[in-house]
Amino acid sequence: MLGKFFKKPSAELGDRVPPGQHLATGFPVLTYGDTPQISCDRYSLKVWGLVEPQSFTWDDLMAMPQQEFTADFHCVTHWSKLDVKWKGIKVLDFMKHLKVDEKAICIMEHCYGDYTTNIAIADFLREENFFAHTLFDEPLSPEHGGPLRLVVPHLYAWKSAKWINGLEFLAQEASGFWERNGYHRRGEPWAEERYSY
Ligand SMILES: Nc1nc2c(c(=O)[nH]1)N[C@H]1C(S)=C(S)[C@@H](COP(=O)(O)O)O[C@H]1N2
Ligand SMILES: [Mo]
């Protein structure tokens, strides 16, 4: 895999690159299936399950506090990109609008195009997680998940759902698309939680 598009981390960046990862020079696109084309007019983010059901339009989301984020990005296929610059909405700010049942322990992330991925509530409700609509000062392109994606920097990037359109709150753990196909239920890069076996 080492070649034109990947380089070995330098010593000083080494402590930011998890084991088994190499630095990508560009920002690769990794999508299973087709890229949905969703305009902001059509976009909505719904919440259901163990939560008061609600649907947020693009305008609802843009009325929430907007912030800049810099985060490292680790794909389980062994590439990482450091210092990715995004803009968007902090998950904890978004969550102020929800009424979640205390029995919820897991969330299924749903997307346009039917991709899913599961995340524990404790991994979702972290200070550094955000919904992104801007990447390196440009509107987030469809390939990278525009108009809106989730970014969960502390887990492998398959948990960072592109074109996110739903959060389903669950009383027990469930498996999303990659988790049903052999990937780890949690996916913590520093522990190399890549596969479920
Ligand atoms: N909806 C959706 N989200 C997704 C994926 C996908 O196939 N569909 N791929 C995941 C994987 S495996 C990775 S590494 C990142 C890649 O994000 P990027 O294409 O912006 O680099 O998106 C994640 N989110
Ligand atoms: Mo990935």
Side-chain angles (χ1 to χ4, degrees):
M1 277 291 267
L2 273 180
K4 202 166 137 207
F5 300 108
F6 297 93
K7 53 182 197 283
K8 268 215 158 93
S10 65
E12 84 259 20
L13 291 179
D15 61 356
R16 290 178 55 194
V17 181
Q21 297 293 106
H22 293 293
L23 292 177
T25 48
F27 192 178
V29 168
L30 222 126
T31 300
Y32 183 85
D34 296 332
T35 294
Q37 307 285 332
I38 310 298
S39 66
C40 300
D41 298 354
R42 257 181 71 203
Y43 180 84
S44 72
L45 176 59
K46 295 186 170 56
V47 300
W48 70 91
L50 291 174
V51 64
E52 198 174 288
Q54 287 190 77
S55 179
F56 297 89
T57 64
W58 188 257
D59 290 347
D60 294 335
L61 293 161
M62 293 310 115
M64 295 179 191
Q66 307 292 314
Q67 271 179 246
E68 299 188 3
F69 304 88
T70 301
D72 297 346
F73 196 92
H74 308 296
C75 172
V76 71
T77 64
H78 299 278
W79 58 268
S80 291
K81 184 168 179 62
L82 304 183
D83 293 325
V84 185
K85 302 257 187 307
W86 310 88
K87 283 183 201 140
I89 304 142
K90 230 166 128 165
V91 164
L92 294 184
D93 284 335
F94 171 78
M95 290 302 292
K96 291 176 188 158
H97 299 262
L98 305 198
K99 291 206 182 77
V100 181
D101 188 316
E102 60 188 26
K103 288 196 280 298
I105 60 143
C106 177
I107 294 173
M108 189 63 75
E109 305 169 22
H110 294 264
C111 306
Y112 292 98
D114 291 340
Y115 179 90
T116 53
T117 185
N118 56 281
I119 187 167
I121 292 263
D123 280 320
F124 185 70
L125 297 181
R126 283 173 62 135
E127 193 63 39
E128 70 267 28
N129 297 344
F130 55 94
F131 297 97
H133 52 65
T134 302
L135 171 61
F136 291 116
D137 290 319
E138 302 283 341
L140 185 58
S141 66
E143 291 73 23
H144 283 299
L148 199 77
R149 78 177 301 166
L150 182 65
V151 180
V152 178
H154 75 289
L155 298 178
Y156 283 123
W158 88 78
K159 301 290 186 178
S160 294
K162 305 196 274 193
W163 322 291
I164 191 159
N165 71 357
L167 298 171
E168 179 184 6
F169 290 76
L170 301 165
Q172 62 283 311
E173 198 175 359
S175 296
F177 173 71
W178 285 121
E179 295 83 3
R180 284 195 303 276
N181 285 284
Y183 284 85
H184 195 276
R185 41 201 273 278
R186 179 158 189 250
E188 209 283 312
W190 295 93
E192 286 204 74
E193 293 175 342
R194 297 177 192 273
Y195 309 109
S196 58
Y197 45 83

